[in-house]
Amino acid sequence: MVLEGNPEVGSPRTSDLGHPGNKGSCVLSSAGEDAQPGEEPIKYGELIVLGYNGCLASGDKGRRRSRLALSRRPHANGVKPDVMHHISTPLVSKALSNRGQHSISYTLSRSHSVIVEYTHDSDTDMFQIGRSTENMIDFVVTDTSPGGGAGEGPSAQSTISRYACRILCDRRQPYTARIYAAGFDASSNIFLGERAAKWRTPDGLMDGLTTNGVLVMHPAGGFSEDSAPGVWREISVCGNVYTLRDSRSAQQRGKLVEKESNVLQDGSLIDLCGATLLWRTPAGLLRAPTLKQLEAQRQEANAARPQCPVGLSTLAFPSPARGRTAPDKQQPWVYVRCGHVHGYHGWGCRRERGPQERECPLCRLVGPYVPLWLGQEAGLCLDPGPPSHAFAPCGHVCSEKTARYWAQTPLPHGTHAFHAACPFCGAWLTGEHGCVRLIFQGPLD
């Protein structure tokens, strides 16, 4: 086993910290394969945060956004393991004083630490993700509130690490992307304290896990019409794959899964304990619907002039330019237990069952009665199928295969729980299937 879980990376050399000439070199300014002026940058893939439906409520700004494309940098900034030191703790500050030297520090006891120095890798680009707004973080991610809605402001109770994870992308084809737990801080260091889960590997190297962990799930069959949810795993600091711990922050690691890797696939989910990200490859995004296609579907659905079966008023999905505000007069509403679509009305309340519980006037089933909203984040869709299904109870609309896939996908919640959620708003799904087929009534004329 090698330190980064990459068979192409050699084992780091071990040395005594005080021995001259044995310190690892770090040439961070070295240029890799430069992008040519005027050329389109090569895209490695895109990260999409679940729960925002295409844009933060306050707007995507800089590194704080709902979606980020990872493209090849003008100069390589990747790093790889080089030298491993066994030192006494009083020397830790001296060993880590060089801000230009990337390193990972494993504190084994009060008197013993292991520091692995990293050196420049001209073959990879590194991207860092976390809650911190410091410059070394490329994608600033904050907690997504379960149950509908996303918190965008700083949270005192946030469980997302300031330096949650890093992704290294090969600068040459096929542009493989690999994920690792933890990111380097402003001093170019990663610290695993005494309480962090850490261990020596059989070949004498070090590895560890972050406090709340970085979980990854690769879909079975790729992210397409035939997709099925995969198995959640935990990724270590060195990129190895483990089964889940008993709870999110338990000190005992899971079992090593040797047949699986940290290579991201189209549709891979990355959970940072507070927010879940979807990885899409350029090839996968070519199969996904475009915003123009989603708009064409909206206009086609409205052109069919669906009507409220009781009020006989014509219904229409609002333009995404309006944003998700209060429903307008033509907004379609649905009874999520049966799927019958109506215009808004005030009758059928069952106050003894809750304020949202209504009785459908067509089939008499009682359940939530909510407005319908089109899913606007095209990268979350498995196919460009028509908007025929809605998630329950939030009412976000998408294709049947997209709805059924996400309704079957358990997303991590809390320390050891999993729950399916709407990918567009983060609301926990309810009911037997988590989604419902929409039943529209066409115009009587």
Side-chain angles (χ1 to χ4, degrees), residues 3-21:
L3 189 63
E4 285 205 358
N6 179 353
E8 298 177 359
V9 177
S11 302
R13 297 175 282 118
T14 58
S15 71
D16 191 352
L17 181 65
H19 194 287

Side-chain angles (χ1 to χ4, degrees), residues 17-18 23 85-99 101-105 113-117 187-189 191:
L17 181 65
K23 299 192 72 174
H85 305 288
H86 292 265
I87 64 175
S88 58
T89 301
L91 295 176
V92 171
S93 58
K94 179 180 178 181
L96 302 180
S97 60
N98 183 1
R99 287 175 174 260
Q101 178 75 62
H102 287 75
S103 64
I104 300 181
S105 173
S113 293
V114 174
I115 295 179
V116 178
E117 291 184 353
S187 299
S188 301
N189 300 314
F191 293 92

Side-chain angles (χ1 to χ4, degrees), residues 347-396:
W347 62 78
C349 294
R350 290 293 180 267
R351 300 191 184 280
E352 70 277 6
R353 299 275 297 273
Q356 281 192 312
E357 299 290 304
R358 301 282 189 94
E359 181 183 271
C360 175
L362 297 185
C363 67
R364 302 299 182 186
L365 280 178
V366 177
Y369 176 61
V370 298
L372 292 176
W373 304 93
L374 289 172
Q376 293 297 322
E377 178 50 82
L380 301 176
C381 301
L382 274 75
D383 66 332
S388 60
H389 284 62
F391 290 107
C394 61
H396 276 102

Side-chain angles (χ1 to χ4, degrees), residues 4-262:
E4 285 205 358
N6 179 353
E8 298 177 359
V9 177
S11 302
R13 297 175 282 118
T14 58
S15 71
D16 191 352
L17 181 65
H19 194 287
N22 277 348
K23 299 192 72 174
S25 61
C26 188
V27 191
L28 295 179
S29 61
S30 173
E33 184 181 350
D34 292 354
Q36 297 300 316
E39 287 186 355
E40 285 291 326
I42 293 172
K43 183 190 292 186
Y44 298 130
E46 293 193 22
L47 290 167
I48 303 170
V49 187
L50 303 190
Y52 291 96
N53 199 21
C55 186
L56 302 184
S58 59
D60 289 347
K61 302 171 184 177
R63 294 172 294 139
R64 192 190 297 272
R65 52 202 312 112
S66 66
R67 183 172 184 160
L68 182 73
L70 273 55
S71 300
R72 190 166 68 176
R73 299 181 184 276
H75 304 279
N77 73 330
V79 293
K80 58 186 177 182
D82 184 33
V83 181
M84 184 164 69
H85 305 288
H86 292 265
I87 64 175
S88 58
T89 301
L91 295 176
V92 171
S93 58
K94 179 180 178 181
L96 302 180
S97 60
N98 183 1
R99 287 175 174 260
Q101 178 75 62
H102 287 75
S103 64
I104 300 181
S105 173
Y106 302 86
T107 302
L108 303 181
S109 68
R110 293 183 178 180
S111 59
H112 185 198
S113 293
V114 174
I115 295 179
V116 178
E117 291 184 353
Y118 278 61
T119 187
H120 176 70
D121 183 3
S122 62
D123 294 326
T124 62
D125 286 335
M126 181 170 66
F127 302 88
Q128 300 210 134
I129 305 164
R131 178 169 49 88
S132 171
T133 58
E134 295 174 276
N135 291 335
M136 81 291 302
I137 298 298
D138 298 283
F139 194 16
V140 179
V141 178
T142 53
D143 297 71
T144 303
S145 302
E152 297 176 26
S155 172
Q157 302 298 322
S158 177
T159 49
I160 300 175
S161 171
R162 290 183 298 162
Y163 318 105
C165 67
R166 63 198 191 277
I167 295 176
L168 266 67
C169 302
D170 290 345
R171 290 173 61 85
R172 296 177 176 85
Q173 291 182 343
Y175 308 119
T176 303
R178 297 177 175 85
I179 185 169
Y180 302 82
F184 294 99
D185 63 16
S187 299
S188 301
N189 300 314
I190 293 174
F191 293 92
L192 294 180
E194 282 191 71
R195 296 185 178 182
K198 71 188 83 65
W199 58 92
R200 292 182 185 275
T201 62
D203 47 8
L205 305 179
M206 296 297 300
D207 203 354
L209 305 174
T210 55
T211 301
N212 289 325
V214 174
L215 308 187
V216 172
M217 188 270 279
H218 305 303
F223 196 68
S224 65
E225 298 180 15
D226 301 320
S227 289
V231 179
W232 283 100
R233 304 296 193 194
E234 182 162 11
I235 302 298
S236 73
V237 171
C238 296
N240 295 306
V241 182
Y242 292 85
T243 59
L244 301 187
R245 291 178 268 183
D246 291 338
S247 65
R248 196 72 187 239
S249 58
Q251 289 190 312
Q252 183 63 41
R253 71 178 187 273
K255 296 180 179 179
L256 177 68
V257 185
E258 296 186 12
K259 294 183 178 180
E260 298 181 19
S261 77
N262 62 337

